[in-house]
Amino acid sequence: MPADRRPRWGGIARILVPALVVGLFTVGGTAFYAVRSAQYPDPDTTALPLDGLAAVLLAVGPVALLFRHLNRVVALAVCAAAVVVYLGLGYPLLGPLGFAFAVALVSAVAAGRHHRALAVLVVALAVLAGWLLLTGRPIPWPATAPVLAWLAALVAGGALWRVRRERTAQARRAAEAERRRSADAERLRIAQELHDVLGHHVSLINVQAGVALYLMDDDPEQARTALTEIKRASRDLLREMRSTLGVLRGVDEQAPRAPTPGLDRLDALLDEVRVAGLPVHRGTEGTPRPLPTGVDLAAYRIVQESLTNTRRHAGAGTAVVTLRFGDDALDLTVDDDGAGPAPGAVDGTGLTGMRERARSVGGTLEAGPGPERGFRVHAHLPAPPADRAAPDDPTVPGAPAAPADAPASDAAAPDRAAPDARPHVEPAATGRVGSTGATDRPTTPGADR
């Protein structure tokens, strides 16, 4: 038996139950007819009395149903042959006589074998009619129309069953395709997340490594600071990569302990960028409030990717991050004073990923030349107000209150210098610095944003 036709244990009941029901119905109907014939004999009947051969022919149909999963057309042909022989020999017409044949016919049509099933049906009717004519017995024409009507109803029922099963299978395939599409979308989101993490931290490590090499002999203390920052950035990178890849593998050894990044970590991100050599100022307009998790993450990643592109490609001397909290939206702007987009430049992976992030939360993102010079990234992210009260901090959602002697935001102190340990780097040399002081940023600013 082919492996694909072997019945599984879960389908044994679907094979045995119909055959047992048909067999019990046939036995009960035959016994009822035998008892009734004994009590009320019909002297005018010409039918043969039931004997062993009649019992065998009546039992052939239920037995054939046990093997219909092997070949439904053959099972139908066996049931039809048993009925034709039974009626051709002249045995009495019993109620359960065609029950097994009806079940086999519906089963074959429902399995898509309707052409062969119709062929078996036509051949059986032709053989039975020819047998009756050859033996000289009359054909019961009054019963022909009801029999044909019942056969048509059985074929139609099998066809409807097949259509319903095909629709169910189609709906199941559509649900599976939707599940795969959702899984692919989640993998794409994770890939974008990993791209943002890698781009930010590797760029930071690259800049700090260049500073350390450049100042190794002249300022060992500053080189030590740069190496310390490399160690911290690489540790954070490994932790975030392990968390992200653990989601892909589904076998993360430990639950992630760090919260999902959001605007509450924006100050730490800006400090990293300042240490890397790019002065960044922050401005906040409106009343800061808690944001939905997806919007909070998208805003953080957009700022992170924008500043990474600014450090790597813009040749900028400073950047400004502005958050505008509206009643039902957050407007995020990142401006720099670099060279701006190159003529004819196309969007790179960074801008494409940022647009996808904004679109994933129902927002929009625009990127292009700044109002005066440089490059601007502006994102509009829908953010309906939350029911809970806003934190005490007037600038950072979810962060503790700032000290009384600290400035409210970076925008209030635009001239604040970067940490003293950072060597002064001219705007034209914000790329990675080698031992000779040359930069390795792209020659066409903005071409790989």
Side-chain angles (χ1 to χ4, degrees), residues 23-170:
L24 292 176
F25 189 77
T26 302
V27 171
T30 304
F32 176 78
Y33 176 82
V35 172
R36 185 178 181 278
S37 298
Q39 293 179 350
Y40 306 99
D42 186 2
D44 297 331
T45 183
T46 59
L48 297 178
L50 294 176
D51 54 12
L53 179 58
V56 170
L57 292 175
L58 291 174
V60 167
V63 173
L65 294 180
L66 292 173
F67 303 96
R68 71 184 188 280
H69 62 278
L70 301 178
N71 194 313
R72 299 181 187 274
V73 177
V74 172
L76 174 63
V78 171
C79 293
V83 172
V84 169
V85 173
Y86 181 92
L87 295 178
L89 292 177
Y91 288 109
L93 182 61
L94 302 177
L97 173 62
F99 195 21
F101 173 77
V103 173
L105 178 61
V106 173
S107 178
V109 175
R113 309 293 193 273
H114 49 282
H115 295 296
R116 297 181 182 179
L118 291 177
V120 171
L121 181 59
V122 171
V123 170
L125 292 176
V127 170
L128 179 59
W131 192 332
L132 294 178
L133 291 176
L134 290 177
T135 57
R137 286 178 291 166
I139 298 178
W141 294 109
T144 303
V147 169
L148 294 179
W150 274 107
L151 292 176
L154 292 175
V155 173
L160 291 176
W161 188 4
R162 176 170 58 87
V163 170
R164 181 179 178 275
R165 186 168 56 188
E166 290 177 353
R167 289 183 177 179
T168 302
Q170 184 178 6

Side-chain angles (χ1 to χ4, degrees), residues 205-225:
I205 291 173
N206 181 41
V207 172
Q208 292 296 336
V211 172
L213 289 175
Y214 183 71
L215 300 176
M216 183 67 70
D217 297 330
D218 298 337
D219 194 347
E221 186 63 27
Q222 178 60 27
R224 182 187 300 275
T225 302

